[in-house]
């Protein structure tokens, strides 16, 4: 049953932890955006430029990796994949509500997380429809 839990829940939880517990209570979008962009560390590139990485960047990086695994999981036609699609849809509705209604969540970082979850939902349903159409075509021949 743990396989049915959407992996993209992890970046959402991390974002919630950073914004809700890292910023002063009642902090708005500006404070959340500053907190996400605050450099955690920097890397010196061969060009001599400093590449600074904040917590928002790390959350997005993790989200992209997990999106890849979610897309791979969506190719399965097992019953657990359908549960995963439903839970991904519930997660999308939850993050959309957070994005639209809570001031600390109206940032570009969270918007990109919302889009990653939307892509996961769409890909899951599209792959399932295509797979079932092929099964139906094969069975009808």
């Amino acid at each position: 049953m743990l396989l049915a839990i959407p992996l993209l829940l992890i970046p959402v939880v991390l974002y919630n932890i950073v914004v809700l517990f890292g910023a002063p209570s009642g902090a708005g979008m500006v404070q959340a955006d500053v907190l996400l962009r605050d450099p955690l560390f920097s890397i010196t590139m061969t060009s001599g430029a400093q590449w600074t990485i904040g917590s928002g960047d790390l959350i997005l990086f993790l989200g992209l990796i997990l999106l890849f695994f979610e897309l791979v999981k969506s190719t399965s036609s097992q019953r657990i994949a359908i549960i995963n699609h439903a839970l991904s849809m519930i997660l999308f509705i939850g993050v959309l509500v957070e994005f639209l209604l809570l001031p600390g969540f109206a940032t570009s970082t969270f918007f990109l997380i919302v889009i990653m979850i939307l892509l996961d939902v769409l890909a899951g349903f599209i792959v399932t429809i295509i797979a079932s159409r092929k099964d139906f075509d094969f069975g009808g021949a």
Side-chain angles (χ1 to χ4, degrees):
M1 187 67 180
L2 283 176
L3 292 175
I5 297 174
L7 295 174
L8 290 172
L9 181 65
I10 295 170
V12 172
V13 168
L14 289 174
Y15 186 94
N16 278 285
I17 289 170
V18 168
V19 171
L20 296 177
F21 297 117
S25 61
M29 180 196 69
V30 174
Q31 182 63 27
D33 202 35
V34 167
L35 186 63
L36 291 166
R37 294 181 192 272
D38 190 28
L40 294 175
F41 59 91
S42 65
I43 299 171
T44 304
M45 306 302 287
T46 24
S47 65
Q50 290 289 326
W51 176 30
T52 58
I53 299 171
S55 59
D57 300 325
L58 291 177
I59 292 171
L60 286 176
F61 177 67
L62 176 66
L64 287 171
I65 291 170
L66 294 176
L67 177 61
F68 169 76
F69 288 111
E70 277 293 320
L71 294 176
V72 170
K73 276 178 29 178
S74 71
T75 61
S76 171
S77 61
Q78 298 174 351
R79 184 173 293 149
I80 201 156
I82 296 171
I83 296 170
N84 178 276
H85 300 329
L87 291 175
S88 292
M89 178 59 90
I90 292 169
L91 178 63
F92 173 69
I93 292 168
V95 296
L96 186 61
V97 168
E98 279 184 327
F99 180 69
L100 294 174
L101 300 180
L102 300 177
F105 292 82
T107 63
S108 295
T109 302
F110 198 71
F111 173 74
L112 292 173
I113 292 171
V114 171
I115 295 301
M116 281 189 253
I117 295 170
L118 175 64
L119 290 174
D120 173 39
V121 169
L122 291 175
F125 287 127
I126 290 169
V127 167
T128 303
I129 290 169
I130 290 172
S132 66
R133 183 180 297 165
K134 286 182 181 179
D135 289 343
F136 182 73
D137 289 342
F138 182 71

